[in-house]
Amino acid sequence: MKKYDLVVIGGGVLGTFHAYHALQNGLQVALLEKNKMPQGATTQNFGQVVPSGMNTKWQNYGRESLKIYKRIQQQFDITLRENGSVYLASNSEEVQLIEELHQINNRNQYPSVLLTKEECLKKYPGLRSEYIKAGLFFPEEVTVEARQMIHRLQSFMVKDLNLDYFTNRNIIACEQVGTSVKITSASGEVFEAEKVIICNGSEFKNLYPQLFNTSDLEVTKLQMLQTKPQSAYQLSGNILTGWSIRRYEAFAECDSFVDIKLKEDTESLQKKWGVHILFKQAPDGSVIIGDSHQYADVKNIEDLGYDLDMDIDDFMIKEAQKIIDLPTYDIQNRWFGMYSQCKTKDIFQKTIENNIHIVTGIGGKGMTGSAGFAKENITKIFNI
């Protein structure tokens, strides 16, 4: 049996980037994925890499992630498009917040550009004049195609970095035996490693269920939609709007944020369903729109259900139409994604018997923060 320096359990973006950085440090690595291919939040999100929306700590991880994504893209096409992000302010309060965030970014030496109403209308076709007041643009930020990026990244790692990648491996046991860790799959296959990192996303029933059931982890369900391809229409970059400004952690560091939040209507449908409107155009011309947020503790994950709530979808479409006039709002795809997050911490980390490291509950920060966070975490775990 081959013994690895590291076995990573979970082939989503957080697990894959832990494997990537371990390989970059010359370690022998195996990545185990329970399905034929990753199917969780990594493939069910917008594909927006937006450090601008994060607090200072995670923005630093996100900025490192941008460098990593761009470096990999130079070696292998992982669907990266460098076209920036914009926050569109719809009223004076949101204008105040983007102006304050712009000053914070200046102090942090993270490039951003304030846009006038006229500049926004010129840059983003279909943007409604009655909605937009001003914008804040982040030129360094990127998009990836969520349903393709992780598979291309893993192919690159297998081909060029000598990753051992095993799919359809549902891991049911992980235990330290002497100085090694033994990992057992549902079919009885055994792997051995010096260290194990478990990045289990929102899967909490196979490994350490009692640990997770008594934690402060919760699962978030998000609904998203995709229009039919837009004819002769281009909308570049990540488009974030007024409710995003009022939601994202980065703006919580603005001086005016608390007073502005206190004035909000907490009984609205937008609050009930946790909606903020985002747009991103896919390479085929379709536009992805979303998203909503509904929550359940990990022990009650089934309470979130398996259905798409059409009232939520209809609400998001109506609100999106108030912001941008797309050539068509005909919808070709609807889906939901699920990710885990902590109620009191920014990520869930637990070490068992020195060599088994659980890292999950990264929340909505996964696509943006995982690459940078995993780089630092590998250096800590292996004392590199």
Side-chain angles (χ1 to χ4, degrees):
M1 181 194 307
K2 181 176 180 179
K3 181 179 178 181
Y4 293 93
D5 299 311
L6 173 66
V7 166
V8 179
I9 301 172
V13 66
L14 186 58
T16 299
F17 271 115
H18 274 91
Y20 171 82
H21 290 297
L23 290 165
Q24 291 289 98
N25 281 283
L27 302 178
Q28 293 286 314
V29 181
L31 177 63
L32 311 181
E33 164 58 38
K34 70 183 178 69
N35 297 311
K36 181 179 180 181
M37 60 185 68
Q39 298 175 359
T42 295
T43 64
Q44 297 167 348
N45 68 87
F46 269 85
Q48 297 183 335
V49 184
V50 285
S52 55
M54 294 176 160
N55 62 28
T56 299
K57 172 185 174 180
W58 280 92
Q59 185 183 101
N60 288 331
Y61 289 135
R63 291 169 67 175
E64 182 63 28
S65 294
L66 284 175
K67 296 176 184 176
I68 293 163
Y69 275 116
K70 291 175 182 180
R71 184 165 63 245
I72 295 171
Q73 180 66 28
Q74 291 177 344
Q75 301 171 267
F76 195 92
D77 181 11
I78 55 169
T79 75
L80 196 78
R81 289 184 287 165
E82 299 186 41
N83 40 25
S85 304
V86 70
Y87 294 82
L88 301 175
S90 66
N91 57 39
S92 59
E93 291 177 338
E94 292 159 9
V95 171
Q96 185 171 355
L97 287 172
I98 64 172
E99 289 176 345
E100 291 176 6
L101 187 65
H102 177 60
Q103 293 302 317
I104 292 172
N105 288 316
N106 282 345
R107 292 196 294 271
N108 292 340
Q109 297 183 310
Y110 188 48
S112 65
V113 181
L114 285 166
L115 302 176
T116 65
K117 173 175 181 168
E118 292 71 24
E119 288 171 328
C120 290
L121 290 169
K122 183 177 180 181
K123 187 173 177 63
Y124 301 102
L127 181 58
R128 294 179 69 94
S129 178
E130 59 268 35
Y131 179 86
I132 187 65
K133 296 294 183 288
L136 182 61
F137 180 67
F138 290 84
E140 293 187 356
E141 298 187 345
V142 304
T143 63
V144 295
E145 302 314 303
R147 297 192 181 187
Q148 302 174 39
M149 186 283 292
I150 196 68
H151 311 307
R152 294 194 184 188
L153 174 59
Q154 290 166 348
S155 295
F156 164 66
M157 291 163 62
V158 170
K159 178 176 177 288
D160 289 12
L161 303 181
N162 297 316
L163 171 70
D164 285 351
Y165 181 38
F166 301 89
T167 58
N168 294 311
R169 263 61 173 199
N170 190 20
I171 303 305
I172 59 170
C174 181
E175 57 184 342
Q176 188 154 332
V177 180
T179 58
S180 298
V181 182
K182 186 173 80 169
I183 306 106
T184 307
S185 74
S187 64
E189 189 174 9
V190 176
F191 298 86
E192 186 179 1
E194 178 187 341
K195 295 182 183 295
V196 171
I197 298 175
I198 301 171
C199 298
N200 50 304
S202 58
E203 168 54 66
F204 296 108
K205 295 184 177 181
N206 284 343
L207 295 172
Y208 309 106
Q210 185 60 31
L211 170 68
F212 294 122
N213 284 342
T214 57
S215 73
D216 74 336
L217 281 161
E218 63 182 0
V219 178
T220 308
K221 178 181 178 181
L222 307 91
Q223 290 188 196
M224 287 156 278
L225 315 99
Q226 185 175 24
T227 72
K228 293 181 178 178
Q230 309 286 330
S231 60
Y233 175 83
Q234 289 191 332
L235 185 67
S236 66
N238 303 306
I239 313 298
L240 306 102
T241 64
W243 286 341
S244 308
I245 293 169
R246 294 169 177 272
R247 181 181 180 87
Y248 277 7
E249 293 176 353
F251 295 93
E253 297 184 350
C254 296
D255 291 339
S256 302
F257 185 80
V258 172
D259 288 341
I260 289 172
K261 290 290 285 186
L262 287 173
K263 301 175 188 176
E264 292 183 351
D265 178 7
T266 58
E267 302 300 318
S268 66
L269 289 177
Q270 183 254 329
K271 287 294 183 184
K272 175 184 177 182
W273 292 324
V275 170
H276 68 126
I277 303 299
L278 311 171
F279 301 84
K280 192 196 87 170
Q281 191 167 34
D284 70 354
S286 64
V287 173
I288 301 172
I289 302 167
D291 53 7
S292 60
H293 298 76
Q294 296 170 289
Y295 304 92
D297 292 339
V298 296
K299 61 184 177 182
N300 299 316
I301 187 171
E302 286 83 3
D303 291 351
L304 292 171
Y306 301 100
D307 298 323
L308 288 167
D309 187 326
M310 289 300 99
D311 288 339
I312 295 176
D313 276 9
D314 291 344
F315 177 75
M316 290 195 294
I317 291 170
K318 288 176 183 176
E319 294 301 321
Q321 288 172 326
K322 296 175 184 177
I323 302 171
I324 296 179
D325 281 324
L326 297 175
T328 179
Y329 270 92
D330 290 343
I331 303 301
Q332 66 175 354
N333 290 315
R334 304 171 188 263
W335 70 95
F336 67 82
M338 299 179 79
Y339 63 67
S340 63
Q341 63 184 19
C342 295
K343 296 177 184 177
T344 60
K345 302 185 290 292
D346 52 3
I347 193 168
F348 182 90
Q349 293 182 274
K350 177 76 173 178
T351 298
I352 299 171
E353 296 180 319
N354 296 321
N355 292 321
I356 301 170
H357 303 271
I358 300 172
V359 188
T360 191
I362 197 172
K365 305 183 292 291
M367 194 63 79
T368 299
S370 290
F373 172 82
K375 180 180 180 181
E376 178 182 276
N377 203 34
I378 285 293
T379 64
K380 288 180 178 179
I381 290 172
F382 284 92
N383 295 313
I384 297 171

